[in-house]
């Protein structure tokens, strides 16, 4: 069953949360929701699911449709790419970057054409899944060059358009660049950088639940970026130890029976091993590191 009108399929009082039903963001979003404690049961072939023990209805939609549903108030809050939000040109509030699904929307042309300046493509044929963003990008170039760039929409396999003779260049997403290189294309210009974001309707009906969802997701993201480090240190070394592990806000310090201090602090995962080495060399003891499952800051 497709979620043509989520309001009709959601119990009164539930906040409606739209997430991608498939595609490059889908699995990452499901992993994030699980980590944030937003669990649900989804029946086969249904695009609507109810959260367990939370007043939330999850609505599974194509990522490109989510900005429209959020902007028009059919759902309260949604997760999708920054690129499709800009393409949709609807009024939504961007409330959080989620840190995954990062890529770039780029103008790409055949390597054999050796195009070094994007102005050379003004007035040419461009194929893209992002016609609005492409028009916005080429409009000032067209005005400068006195030409009209032909923007043609294609929903999939955009990278094949040049090889098939349908386009002189394409505007498409570049993540690793593997697909682009396989198609014999190269980046000529970058239009925007994108990643998964959390968006909300400016007049959302369930603001308290929206705030709770944001808080849970923020806590999970923090937990994935930081580890908790705990150690003991002599009283005279506390200042130096805190300089090594200042924490996200500040370290927690308690006094031990022998007069020393027990310190705990959040440390970025990427710095954890180096910090432990520094503390050891300083003279700290009982140095432990713990992974976090979630947090509230």
């Amino acid at each position: 069953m497709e979620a043509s009108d989520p309001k009709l399929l959601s119990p009164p009082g539930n906040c409606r949360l739209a997430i991608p039903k498939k595609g490059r963001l889908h699995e990452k979003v499901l992993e994030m929701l699980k980590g944030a404690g937003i669990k649900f049961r989804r029946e086969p072939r249904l695009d609507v699911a109810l959260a367990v023990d939370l007043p939330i209805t999850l609505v599974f939609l194509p990522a490109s449709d989510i900005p429209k549903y959020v902007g028009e108030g059919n759902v309260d809050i949604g997760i999708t790419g920054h690129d499709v939000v800009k393409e949709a040109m609807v009024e939504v509030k961007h409330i959080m970057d989620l840190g995954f699904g990062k890529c770039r929307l780029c103008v790409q042309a055949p390597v054999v054409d050796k195009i070094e300046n994007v102005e050379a493509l003004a007035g040419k044929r461009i194929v893209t899944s992002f016609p609005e963003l492409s028009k916005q990008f080429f409009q000032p170039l067209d005005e400068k060059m006195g030409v009209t760039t032909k923007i043609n929409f294609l929903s999939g396999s955009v990278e094949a358009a040049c090889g098939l003779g349908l386009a002189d260049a394409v505007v498409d997403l570049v993540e690793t660049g593997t697909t682009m290189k396989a198609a014999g294309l190269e980046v000529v210009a970058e239009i925007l950088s994108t990643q998964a974001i959390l968006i909300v309707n400016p007049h959302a009906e369930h603001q308290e639940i929206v705030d709770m969802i944001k808080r849970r997701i923020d806590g999970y993201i923090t937990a994935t970026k930081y580890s908790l480090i705990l150690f003991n240190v002599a009283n005279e070394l506390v200042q130096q130890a805190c300089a090594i592990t200042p924490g996200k806000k500040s370290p927690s310090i308690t006094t031990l029976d022998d007069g020393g201090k027990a310190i705990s602090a959040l440390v970025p995962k990427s710095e954890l091993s180096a910090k432990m080495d520094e503390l050891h060399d300083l003279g700290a003891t009982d140095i432990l590191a713990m992974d976090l499952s979630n947090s509230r800051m």
Side-chain angles (χ1 to χ4, degrees), residues 211-257:
D211 292 342
M212 182 266 289
I213 292 171
K214 178 181 180 296
R215 192 163 55 244
R216 287 194 175 204
I217 291 175
D218 191 34
Y220 170 73
I221 291 173
T222 297
T224 62
K225 291 180 178 179
Y226 290 86
S227 290
L228 181 66
I229 194 166
L230 308 96
F231 58 92
N232 297 338
V233 69
N235 200 49
E236 63 271 16
L237 297 176
V238 168
Q239 188 172 354
Q240 292 168 267
C242 289
I244 295 171
T245 57
K248 195 169 187 290
K249 294 182 179 178
S250 63
S252 297
I253 304 173
T254 56
T255 301
L256 300 173
D257 290 342

Side-chain angles (χ1 to χ4, degrees), residues 143-164:
E143 293 173 355
K144 177 181 178 181
M145 308 293 288
V147 295
T148 301
T149 301
K150 302 171 184 66
I151 309 291
N152 295 314
F153 174 79
L154 193 64
S155 60
S157 301
V158 170
E159 69 282 350
C162 293
L164 295 173

